[in-house]
Amino acid sequence: MIRYLRLILLLALLVAPFPVAAQPPSPITVTVKAGLDGEGAFRSNYWFPVLVTFANDGPDRRVMLEWRDLNNAVLSQRYALDLPGGARKQVTFPVVQSGRSAQLVATADGQEIFRQRINLNQLNNDQFAIGLLSADPSVLSSLATADFAAGMRAVMLPLDPAALADQPLLLSAFDAIAVRELTSDLRPAQRESLLLWVQQGGTLLIGGGAIGETAIRAFADVLPVTVGPLRRAAPVSELERLANLSGLSNFVPSLTAQTVTLRPNAQALTNDGLISQTTFGAGKIIFAAFDLAALRAWPGESDVWARVLNLQPQLDLDIGANFRFGFNDLLQSSLNTSLFPLPSTIALLVLIGVYIIVIGPANFLALRRLRRLEWAWVTTPLLIVIFLAGSYGMSFALRGTQTQVLQLAIVQSVASGGEATVTTFTGIFAPQRQSYTLSFADSALVAPLQMDERLVIEHSDAGLAMPDLLLDAAAFRTLIVEQITTSSAQIRHQIALNGQRWRGTLTNAGSIPLRDAMVVYKNDMQWIGSLAPGAEVEIDLSTDSDNFLRDFMPIEEGSLFSHTFVLENLFWYVSNRFDPFMNGPTLPGDDIYVIGWSDQAAPVVQINGTPAAARGETLYIIALR
């Protein structure tokens, strides 16, 4: 009996709860601002910044941030950084998101120190996104009710200049950004990022007046005017004319505005110098010489700014966002050639025939001649193994041993060259089952095309990498690599719209020959064909041809990709964002473009630390401004 009591007491001691010492609070504090506006605004499948601030009051630590898309658990986006003791550090973590819920987790040397659920506000793709740099977030709020092109509306997003992204691709979801005043100076990287975003098609509106002095100083060299002193009692009649509305003088009799002098190649939107604009790459910079908040009491304010901004559906969309996480593998589907040579039908039939003859009659006759038919239990499996080994060896020889990299690059630029948005569909073909470490340029943003297995994308001081990517034998993995780089294609032109026709001349001013080239305006196309460096062609394009990708067939013999397939898929995606009832692909907006192909493909990935030689082609989409 005593023995049983001892056993019961021992069991009670084993299962009894023991007091556990409370974990000391982490010496590392973390604060987070996520989204285009720092408050969670984002577009699905578009890159946006997550601003993370660290304060470490303890020893040196190695911190790993992980962004988890709770709607898509297979993609892990990470950011690794060293955090010395006593440091205060701020990082901009670029992420891409498919749904409204995410989670940010931070670990230090393997120990979790922070976890926060991030609720996001998803913007509709049929809305223009307008960012606002102003201490007063209600400025230009009337634009939310304005009607823009294609019946689209706008959403206003207040921005913090201290948190403005210094990577132009993180601004790609914005259609326009207005600057009333800067509450803090922009860092050089932020200013450069903002101007690169404009070059890729963004619209930057800068306000003046007494409150706009900080914004004028920050962008004085790129404004369409040189700015002079303030003048009082500037009339408002030109703004009424611009809005095609009257009554502004009843609310705002006059304005305080800067005196301005129009710069060459700039355009005055009002005859009194109150509003002017200039093209800047594929985008434009607009200057209003008065306070952007000066018209807020007038019911016609939204009409004025809607006409000034003149936002149009643009081609310079984030192409990656249209294809990312989808099922349309543009790279693999458009291949004109197989990744490795396949055996001919005759060779397969011969192999099958030889196998049937050897495993059947030949084996039987040989064993009967030797009077050892009972050996068939051994010879038959042996012959099967020999043929299997031979088939595997033939397959191995056809696949080869070298990892193949295929690239389809899409370069969006303007005729004068300069910086361009490059979206590269990069395919990795693995001849054997193997793990790879892929590394990319620091300025690049990388995401998988499809989400069919767990992937890790990691940012660190050493650069951008995709570590331990496991690929099966003969597997093909497509990634989308996006970056801003210098365009090598340049076009010189003198083309103008004369009535219903675009007429003029066009010259390839760059060093790259273009193949399957064409001039396109909306869904009207003039076929050019080959355009060698220095070559000049006459342009005579009717605006009612309705023949884009309809009545021509490029010569694609020898090309790595089907050019027609790529263009159809690309522009169907672009067209359907703005008009899902389109009966054919078209280029949005009022610009005219040159589209052409090059056999060159700049490598964008390193495999296991070694630059990967790539086969590929580049599609140039060049806006003629």
Side-chain angles (χ1 to χ4, degrees):
M1 186 66 180
I2 296 175
R3 182 183 302 174
Y4 287 118
L5 289 174
R6 289 176 178 174
L7 180 59
I8 292 172
L9 289 173
L10 179 61
L11 291 175
L13 289 173
L14 289 175
V15 300
F18 288 92
V20 178
Q23 293 292 334
S26 172
I28 301 176
T29 57
V30 184
T31 57
V32 181
K33 289 185 177 181
L36 300 172
D37 57 351
E39 299 293 334
F42 82 108
R43 284 197 194 279
S44 178
N45 296 338
Y46 278 73
W47 294 99
F48 64 91
V50 178
L51 192 68
V52 186
T53 305
F54 296 92
N56 183 12
D57 295 322
D60 298 352
R61 305 296 292 271
R62 177 71 172 173
V63 176
M64 176 69 75
L65 282 172
E66 183 175 1
W67 178 272
R68 299 172 182 174
D69 184 347
L70 298 182
N71 304 277
N72 196 339
V74 295
L75 176 62
S76 177
Q77 301 168 87
R78 298 178 182 174
Y79 197 116
L81 69 153
D82 291 317
L83 195 61
R88 302 294 185 267
K89 185 176 286 191
Q90 189 176 80
V91 298
T92 300
F93 187 5
V95 300
V96 65
Q97 179 77 13
S98 62
R100 292 183 173 88
S101 298
Q103 190 175 67
L104 186 66
V105 179
T107 57
D109 299 324
Q111 178 183 0
E112 184 175 309
I113 59 172
F114 175 82
R115 178 186 293 263
Q116 180 175 325
R117 184 184 179 93
I118 311 292
N119 294 318
L120 300 167
N121 175 29
Q122 184 171 340
L123 305 180
N124 296 328
N125 285 334
D126 60 354
Q127 289 179 308
F128 290 119
I130 303 176
L132 174 66
L133 286 166
S134 172
D136 182 355
S138 65
V139 173
L140 301 181
S141 59
S142 65
L143 278 174
T145 62
D147 286 323
F148 291 92
M152 296 175 66
R153 293 296 181 94
V155 57
M156 299 298 300
L157 299 173
L159 305 178
D160 179 1
L164 190 67
D166 55 9
Q167 158 66 281
L169 290 174
L170 298 181
L171 301 174
S172 60
F174 286 108
D175 296 281
I177 293 178
V179 185
R180 185 194 183 206
E181 85 275 25
L182 294 174
T183 54
S184 62
D185 291 336
L186 294 178
R187 300 189 306 274
Q190 290 177 308
R191 182 182 184 276
E192 182 182 3
S193 171
L194 194 56
L195 293 180
L196 283 174
W197 166 78
V198 177
Q199 287 185 12
Q200 306 314 307
T203 296
L204 179 63
L205 170 63
I206 299 173
I211 199 170
E213 294 291 342
T214 55
I216 293 172
R217 285 197 303 269
F219 298 101
D221 59 324
V222 295
L223 293 178
V225 295
T226 55
V227 180
L230 287 170
R231 59 188 173 110
R232 301 189 181 278
V236 297
S237 56
E238 277 293 295
L239 297 179
E240 292 178 327
R241 180 193 61 79
L242 185 64
N244 198 24
L245 291 171
S246 61
L248 174 57
S249 57
N250 297 329
F251 295 88
V252 184
S254 63
L255 294 170
T256 298
Q258 275 90 4
T259 57
V260 299
T261 303
L262 198 67
R263 283 177 169 159
N265 301 321
Q267 176 188 4
L269 299 185
T270 60
N271 294 327
D272 54 6
L274 285 180
I275 303 178
S276 52
Q277 72 176 25
T278 184
T279 58
F280 195 77
K284 58 188 177 183
I285 297 177
I286 303 170
F287 178 65
F290 54 91
D291 184 356
L292 294 183
L295 309 181
R296 67 168 67 190
W298 183 37
E301 180 196 32
S302 61
D303 297 279
V304 170
W305 294 121
R307 289 178 182 272
V308 168
L309 293 173
N310 191 27
L311 296 181
Q312 300 284 336
Q314 295 292 319
L315 180 63
D316 40 31
L317 303 172
D318 187 339
I319 291 177
N322 292 323
F323 289 90
R324 189 180 294 121
F325 306 153
F327 298 98
N328 183 6
D329 190 333
L330 185 64
L331 178 71
Q332 191 169 2
S333 300
S334 62
L335 274 174
N336 268 341
T337 182
S338 60
L339 295 172
F340 53 88
L342 297 174
S344 66
T345 304
I346 295 177
L348 289 175
L349 291 176
V350 169
L351 178 65
I352 294 172
V354 171
Y355 173 76
I356 293 174
I357 292 173
V358 170
I359 204 73
N363 184 35
F364 173 75
L365 292 175
L367 293 178
R368 189 176 69 173
R369 185 179 182 84
L370 295 173
R371 297 181 180 180
R372 291 289 187 270
L373 290 177
E374 66 276 11
W375 288 3
W377 293 100
V378 177
T379 58
T380 300
L382 182 62
L383 289 172
I384 292 173
V385 170
I386 291 172
F387 269 90
L388 286 175
S391 300
Y392 177 81
M394 183 176 65
S395 171
F396 185 84
L398 290 173
R399 292 199 312 267
T401 59
Q402 295 297 319
T403 304
Q404 296 186 46
V405 179
L406 300 179
Q407 290 185 181
L408 170 61
I410 301 172
V411 179
Q412 300 174 77
S413 65
V414 294
S416 59
E419 301 302 312
T421 301
V422 183
T423 304
T424 305
F425 294 82
T426 302
I428 312 295
F429 173 74
Q432 307 170 35
R433 180 179 173 84
Q434 187 176 346
S435 290
Y436 301 88
T437 294
L438 309 181
S439 53
F440 307 86
D442 293 346
S443 60
L445 297 177
V446 180
L449 181 67
Q450 297 175 331
M451 300 297 297
D452 51 8
E453 61 183 66
R454 186 168 180 81
L455 296 171
V456 175
I457 298 171
E458 186 172 303
H459 300 258
S460 69
D461 296 337
L464 176 64
M466 186 175 286
D468 300 326
L469 175 63
L470 178 62
L471 296 179
D472 287 324
F476 189 84
R477 165 70 67 184
T478 302
L479 308 173
I480 300 179
V481 183
E482 298 158 273
Q483 54 190 330
I484 304 293
T485 187
T486 302
S487 175
S488 52
Q490 295 184 15
I491 297 293
R492 187 171 60 249
H493 71 97
Q494 291 181 336
I495 300 176
L497 183 62
N498 185 4
Q500 298 297 314
R501 307 190 75 87
W502 290 94
R503 287 191 172 97
T505 59
L506 182 146
T507 304
N508 184 352
S511 60
I512 294 179
L514 298 178
R515 297 188 297 114
D516 289 343
M518 65 190 84
V519 174
V520 182
Y521 172 71
K522 295 186 176 180
N523 61 348
D524 307 312
M525 179 273 302
Q526 178 178 333
W527 179 253
I528 295 175
S530 297
L531 190 62
E536 180 178 290
V537 294
E538 294 287 334
I539 301 300
D540 186 5
L541 172 61
S542 171
T543 58
D544 57 0
S545 301
D546 193 26
N547 62 344
F548 179 45
L549 298 181
R550 287 179 171 85
D551 62 358
F552 81 100
M553 184 61 66
I555 300 173
E556 297 181 341
E557 294 180 3
S559 65
L560 184 60
F561 300 103
S562 169
H563 296 174
T564 303
F565 181 89
V566 171
L567 293 176
E568 286 178 343
N569 277 263
L570 176 63
F571 293 118
W572 267 113
Y573 270 82
V574 173
S575 302
N576 288 347
R577 175 189 171 187
F578 303 109
D579 189 352
F581 302 104
M582 288 293 298
N583 59 4
T586 184
L587 275 67
D590 294 322
D591 290 323
I592 184 170
Y593 295 88
V594 171
I595 297 176
W597 292 81
S598 167
D599 293 330
Q600 299 182 3
V604 297
V605 61
Q606 291 187 350
I607 299 179
N608 297 333
T610 303
R615 291 189 298 152
E617 290 184 285
T618 300
L619 170 64
Y620 290 94
I621 305 172
I622 306 169
L624 303 182
R625 290 297 180 95

